[in-house]
Amino acid sequence: MKTVEYNFFVKEMSCASCVSRVEKALKKIDGVIDVSVNLATEKATVAANANVELETLMAAVDKAGYHAVKITEQNASGEEINQQASIWPIVIAVLFAIPFVLPMLFEPFGWHLMMPAWLQLILASIVQFGLGAKFYRSGFKSAIALSGNMDLLVAIGTSAAYGLSVYQLINGHDDHLYFESSVVIITLILIGKWLESRAKHQTTQAIKALSALRPQVALVRRNEQEVTLPVSQVQINDIVVIKPGERIPVDGVIIEGSSSSDESMLTGESFPVNKTVNDKVTGGAINGEGLIIVKTTAILADSTLSKIIEMVESAQAKKAPIQRIVDRISAIFVPVILLIALITLLIWGFITQDWQQALLHAVAVLVIACPCALGLATPTAIMVGTGVAARHGILIKDAEALETLHNINIVAFDKTGTLTVGKPELVEMDIMGTETPEQILSIAASMQAGSEHPLAKAILAKAKQFSYGQNITSVSGSGVMATIDNIDYYLGSERWMKSLNAYFVDMQDKISEFNHKGYTVSFLAKQQSEDKVVILALFGFSDVIKEEAKTAIEALHQLNVKTVMLTGDNQNAANYVGQQLALDKVVAEVLPQDKADHIYQLQQGDKQVHHYKVAMVGDGINDAPALAAADIGIAMGTGTDVAMHASSITLMRGNLFLIADAIDISRRTYNKIKQNLFWAFFYNLIGIPLAALGFLNPMIAGAAMALSSVSVVTNALLLKRWKARS
């Protein structure tokens, strides 16, 4: 049966236990295959059979005590859903809390500023049931569902402190009131949630920045008139006019004009890229100094920018494997905390017979136990890591890829178009006769004029570097044989030269040298006499190694990553590239269908290392099986769509440095996840025993709980300082 994926927002979640509850409710629906709920983005991603309807899923969320919201064009960025909490409840709570805090601060100095009991009751009631109403609503829904969340713990804890104070007040013991505990705890938690909301907003900046690149209108030429249309109405093959300084509204090909394109927000390329007729342009980039006319090649939904946003959103919505540990803990967290609080109350009560103090210790346990930090630890780091990677031209498909990438031991490369430029160049020439290099190139270029063969283009490109190139004229001939100034010239392979009985003079060493370097060798010869053909020169063609390839390989070695090249090219050519780049291993003459088998062999490792994590880097259709077989497939964005779809990571530029950058940001993100989980568990593992043993005042516990969530999100935001090598 066909599988579909649904995405929608889930409001009113407060912690990891909420996430667990929503996921459990959705998984109960027949036909649901997989569920992932992200606390940081407040988004649910559900894979289900086609017969499952979105309304059914959303109804299950509402029944669980939360609020599901459809994703529309208006709220797709999450702005309307994840709006930062208002500051006003915080201001009111602080103003109400100050009269409770000041007496505690001045008491050591002999100043007694405590308010009358009746005024404490009024202020505390407003905070408890007015500003704290959200905790009761959420906690009640959680309890009805026989589950638990952070809000339930807060509601029970503060109600206990408030209720004890009311009890004391009724019995005339107004010198032992604990209203300040409930008021200050609620105030601190509200402050913490507001700071958390503010920090979470910063984690979504990557998506917001990418979405902001979408122009709203385009100047389209139709029926010999220029009309301004919404970008959504632009069709494929429409002619779009883009003025200097404007943001390019569509993906397309330049059919008139030339300019430069600032693609930094899309690819991370820091310098503008020159564009002219037949060059592709990408929607979202900024047109430079020239007016260009572009023929549209993709509508809005299929544009490069839309695909980038979709990939980043997907990565941020999915869970990393390490999150499963947190999910298992979160499912039982609240019930366990409630049990610990009850045990604390009973033990302290029966041992000391001071049930008031016992209740306060139990309140401290309830308040400090915050599963919120656990829920935010992984997704916030993933969001910031994938966001900063996208800003530098590294698109990560999902959180699992980001987590797997940090363990990569080997990076396997395709050669052509990945480690090399992807088109042959004339790199070396050896002249046997008395002609000058200029004369030899002029003859060869004249013979190749008009040819579309890659080697012909290489000769013509070389010839244009010299002033004589402009004097080259096309001559009649048969492509590689031409008559120039009544002399017959031949340009071709060694085999053809031998069939012509060409005269080879002391050139075997040079031929062997060219072959050893992996060059494609061509010979230029002329008819010296009726029965004698002599070699004038031999040309060495090679697919030139990318300028940054060597230092990029060195960067991988610095990360303790081995490098391997898998290529269908001949052994000599492969060995030469391997030696130039100091690759750890070269495997040549590999058929496209066999590359996946070689990836599998690399993964098996050797006797010392039983298994390697292998990343495959490629850019062509023939690389797709190997990209899919690798633990991580990395596609060069300059390559084909097939390679990009088969890969886990796409590099928007052909710069090989991005591979080391991708591994580096993965390792840093994974370290942040581990740090966040450490702090989230640390707060609870240290705080709960201290509270149970009576060493924590409930207000201090509340401050610690609020701080835990804020510190986790803030730690993740430090990833934004990461800088790419490229």
Side-chain angles (χ1 to χ4, degrees), residues 128 152-165 178 180-183 185-186 189 337-338 340-346 348 355-370 687-688 691-692 694 696-702 705:
Q128 185 73 37
L152 180 63
L153 297 180
V154 173
I156 293 174
T158 56
S159 294
Y162 177 85
L164 177 60
S165 301
Y178 305 98
E180 73 276 1
S181 293
S182 65
V183 171
I185 287 170
I186 288 176
I189 292 172
I337 295 304
L338 289 171
I340 293 173
L342 178 61
I343 293 172
T344 300
L345 172 66
L346 295 175
W348 276 97
W355 289 95
Q356 293 182 28
Q357 199 60 41
L359 184 60
L360 291 177
H361 294 329
V363 169
V365 170
L366 291 171
V367 171
I368 198 169
C370 176
I688 292 171
L696 277 184
N697 179 287
M699 289 181 288
I700 296 175
M705 190 271 269

Side-chain angles (χ1 to χ4, degrees), residues 21 28 62-66 136-149 152:
R21 194 162 122 221
K28 287 180 180 177
D62 291 339
K63 186 177 179 181
Y66 301 93
Y136 283 103
R137 286 193 299 269
S138 177
F140 178 74
K141 291 177 181 178
S142 175
I144 289 296
L146 298 179
S147 180
N149 61 9
L152 180 63

Side-chain angles (χ1 to χ4, degrees), residues 256-318:
E256 187 180 325
S258 61
S259 185
S260 62
S261 175
D262 180 355
E263 301 174 348
S264 56
M265 279 298 294
L266 292 167
T267 66
E269 177 63 63
S270 55
F271 297 103
V273 181
N274 291 328
K275 300 285 184 178
T276 188
V277 174
N278 294 327
D279 285 341
K280 294 180 180 179
V281 293
T282 306
I286 299 175
N287 183 29
E289 66 287 346
L291 175 74
I292 53 175
I293 311 299
V294 171
K295 186 176 184 178
T296 306
T297 57
I299 58 175
L300 185 62
D302 296 325
S303 68
T304 300
L305 179 57
S306 293
K307 289 177 181 176
I308 292 173
I309 293 173
E310 183 180 338
M311 188 174 285
V312 176
E313 285 181 331
S314 174
Q316 295 185 347
K318 301 292 176 61

Side-chain angles (χ1 to χ4, degrees), residues 367-383:
V367 171
I368 198 169
C370 176
C372 191
L374 285 174
L376 292 169
T378 301
T380 50
I382 294 290
M383 289 175 69

Side-chain angles (χ1 to χ4, degrees), residues 443-476:
I443 294 168
S446 296
M447 295 174 70
Q448 299 281 21
S451 173
E452 290 297 316
H453 192 281
L455 299 186
K457 290 183 178 180
I459 288 178
L460 292 169
K462 194 73 174 179
K464 289 177 182 177
Q465 296 178 17
F466 301 94
S467 59
Y468 59 82
Q470 61 190 4
N471 297 320
I472 296 173
T473 57
S474 297
V475 297
S476 59

Side-chain angles (χ1 to χ4, degrees), residues 64-75:
Y66 301 93
H67 182 42
V69 179
K70 284 185 179 180
I71 296 177
T72 64
E73 286 188 18
Q74 288 71 34
N75 67 16

